[in-house]
Amino acid sequence: MGAGPACGDGRTPHALSEMTTGAWASRGEVRLLEQAVQRVVSEWIAAEGWQDVSEIVVERPADHSHGDYATPVCLQLAKSARRAPRVLAEELRGRLLADAEISELVETVDVAGPGFVNLTMSAPALSGAVRAMLAAGEDVGRGVRERPLHVLLEYVSVNPNGPLHVGHARYAAYGNTLSRIMAFSGHKVSTEFYINDYGRQMEMFGRSVAARYAQALGLDLPVPEDGYQGEYVKSIAAAVITEIGDSMLEELRIGGLEDADSTAIGFFRVRGYELVLEQMGADLESFGVGFDRWFSETPLHAEGRVQETIDKLLASGDAYARDDAVWLRTTPFGDDKDRVLIRSNERPTYFAADIAYHLDKLERGFDHLINIWGADHHGYVPRMKAAVEILSHDPEMLEIIIGQMVNLLEEGELRQMSTRRGEMVTLAELVDAVGVDAARFFLVMRSHDQTLDLDLALARRQSAENPVYYVQYAHARIAGILRNLPAEQAAWLSDEGGLVPAAAEGLFELTYERELIKSLAWFPQLVIEAADRRAPHRVVGYAQELAGLFHVFYKNCRVIGVEPVVSRSRVGLCLASQRVLARCLDLLGVSAPESM
RNA sequence: GCGCCUGUAGCUCAGUCGGAUAGAGCGUUGGUCUACGAAACCAAAGGUCACAGGUUCGAAUCCUGUCAGGCGCGCCA
């Protein structure tokens, strides 16, 4: 796969959706029942000569009375086999029970409903799963890819002309969490912030800083009509004054703000954006978001690389001149119209620089490029994908993830944000209000293509009831339990391998234990799904489910003061639960407290 | 007008690429700490999955149309 014609459904790039398994599973410590069932079914289909089904579904039924695993495959096969689903299900049941591998892992195999085959795990399968998790240690759930990809993930990427607001915070949290998940799932991920430090918006920003600088020194230069009115610009101007005093004032008095190429305006633009960028880096860092590289747009222009890229496109015939401008031929690749690279005033467009940037990415040899953009840029997607396809000849090389917006509410009232008017709630303010953990958890809790309502007043007031604490509490609770184990029991922890026997009387026979183990055993697959579907919010949902199952288990199952074998195995279950919870929180960039 | 995203409980949202009786949190009501952490647990109430057709053994999920909301449709970035 990978080299053939595009066959993706547009939601998952086919290059990334190859079959994979968690490390501890693929090492053979646990033979996943699911895979064994799939094997038996496909052998059966081949033997009978039936038409293959697209995927042999083996799922965890929502209803526990339907067993631990279930497959509806007989319903799908009925037509091709020309036999009643329940008859097929009975035959499959026999085949499953006759299989050496499955019979060991399975307690019961039942035919139910219109033709489902339901399986329940055997005690050895349950204890084997826990033993394998403990053996994997901190790496439990880490994925191994048959073909790991080196992915470049670009996100946040804004004009450095103002503080990051909560909309940016969402993309920062999403992108950072995604990078952690993809890396943990077995890919190699590099992250990058593209600094849009060039162009008209930045010139306007430079003028705005200059105006505030002049004003602070008693020269009445008004901030331009389309300039940046926010208070933070005054702070920047003040910072500049402490650095250079009034040494730029005279030049502003003479030259004013009009000439963008003047040394004064240029100075304020550059110094202003450096200060903003510094703050951005600090804010992101304290938010748990770091980048492998910060890539500045300006050198692409200064070093002539934008022009080189355009020349290359002209030479290949993908670009052409018309109406005093230069255009890129993007329509053959699904765009509505061709796009301008060089304006009739001879200045290159933002798009032209972005192409040069993406050419740079391609030349660095990544297998796959991912950009995360806000919904307000989605109209830009077809031209960018067209450009990368022209450069790479691979329509799937670039994947653009569109994140929907954040609606900021205050007591249910919508608050509009505008960087230019300086009306916004910043990332830093959000973190001050609710803390990093709650902010990150909340921002990735929902699917990225759902607009997110964030009520600041509510978030502030309910901070003690935030769902993040539910998960953190489960982790802290386990830590507390293990910390307070009596000496004899505490000694068990030094021999994790000996905690859970392969089989014993009373071992994991309660529903609470079984449900918890099943959920834990699902984790490696959850990681793969969250990574391949670019869906960090699944990790949140999973962590909540797991925490809930642990709380119920703990409420109903004594860990200490029961049969030694049962007691030891439950300590093992606590330990495995704690590790998986800690890993989930780590993937989300949320702390896993030992106590709270 | 065209394109993208969305429409599921009072509110905010999940829903394992088409599976069995649609779930969670918050909110509401009522229970549970003289054995390991009550930031927890248990129970109750609450649904025309926007609407109408279609595809099939089976649809919240896929297709078509309608309605509603958000975003976009520059030689701005």
Side-chain angles (χ1 to χ4, degrees), chain A residues 426-485:
Chain A
T426 65
L427 166 64
E429 286 164 353
L430 175 67
V431 169
D432 280 346
V434 304
V436 172
D437 289 347
R440 287 196 60 140
F441 198 86
F442 198 88
L443 290 171
V444 297
M445 190 161 53
R446 308 309 184 190
S447 164
H448 70 272
D449 48 49
Q450 181 93 27
T451 46
L452 182 72
D453 283 341
L454 178 59
D455 193 317
L456 262 192
L458 212 63
R460 252 181 251 120
R461 187 171 345 107
Q462 292 188 338
S463 62
E465 296 169 23
N466 193 296
V468 70
Y469 297 112
Y470 184 77
V471 178
Q472 288 182 316
Y473 178 63
H475 181 272
R477 201 178 197 186
I478 299 171
I481 294 159
L482 297 179
R483 189 167 55 232
N484 296 329
L485 282 179

Side-chain angles (χ1 to χ4, degrees), chain A residues 165-192:
Chain A
H165 57 65
V166 294
H168 302 134
R170 182 182 196 183
Y171 308 132
Y174 174 85
N176 180 259
T177 306
L178 182 61
S179 76
R180 292 172 191 236
I181 293 171
M182 289 185 73
F184 189 67
S185 82
H187 291 305
K188 182 164 166 33
V189 182
S190 296
T191 56
E192 205 152 292

Side-chain angles (χ1 to χ4, degrees), chain A residues 60 177 181 440-447 467-468 470-471 519-520 522-523 526-527 529-530 535-550 580-581 584-585 587-588 590:
Chain A
R60 298 187 305 163
T177 306
I181 293 171
R440 287 196 60 140
F441 198 86
F442 198 88
L443 290 171
V444 297
M445 190 161 53
R446 308 309 184 190
S447 164
V468 70
Y470 184 77
V471 178
S519 185
L520 289 167
W522 190 257
F523 181 58
L526 179 275
V527 170
E529 282 179 12
H537 74 281
R538 277 176 185 268
V539 174
V540 175
Y542 173 82
Q544 288 177 306
E545 174 194 294
L546 181 59
L549 289 170
F550 180 79
V580 173
L581 284 168
C584 286
L585 290 169
L587 291 174
L588 297 170
V590 173

Side-chain angles (χ1 to χ4, degrees), chain A residues 114-183:
Chain A
F116 289 94
V117 174
N118 298 338
L119 305 95
T120 56
M121 292 172 79
S122 66
L126 289 167
S127 64
V130 179
R131 287 154 61 90
M133 283 183 266
L134 291 173
E138 303 293 328
D139 279 335
V140 58
R142 186 183 295 280
V144 173
R145 299 281 182 175
E146 287 170 17
R147 194 163 63 91
L149 299 179
H150 192 181
V151 177
L152 180 63
L153 182 61
E154 181 210 326
Y155 64 110
V156 186
S157 298
V158 292
N159 284 128
N161 55 18
L164 294 167
H165 57 65
V166 294
H168 302 134
R170 182 182 196 183
Y171 308 132
Y174 174 85
N176 180 259
T177 306
L178 182 61
S179 76
R180 292 172 191 236
I181 293 171
M182 289 185 73

Side-chain angles (χ1 to χ4, degrees), chain A residues 302-316:
Chain A
E303 294 166 11
R305 301 181 59 191
V306 175
Q307 189 57 50
E308 281 170 27
T309 305
I310 293 169
D311 290 344
K312 195 182 229 174
L313 291 166
L314 280 167
S316 67

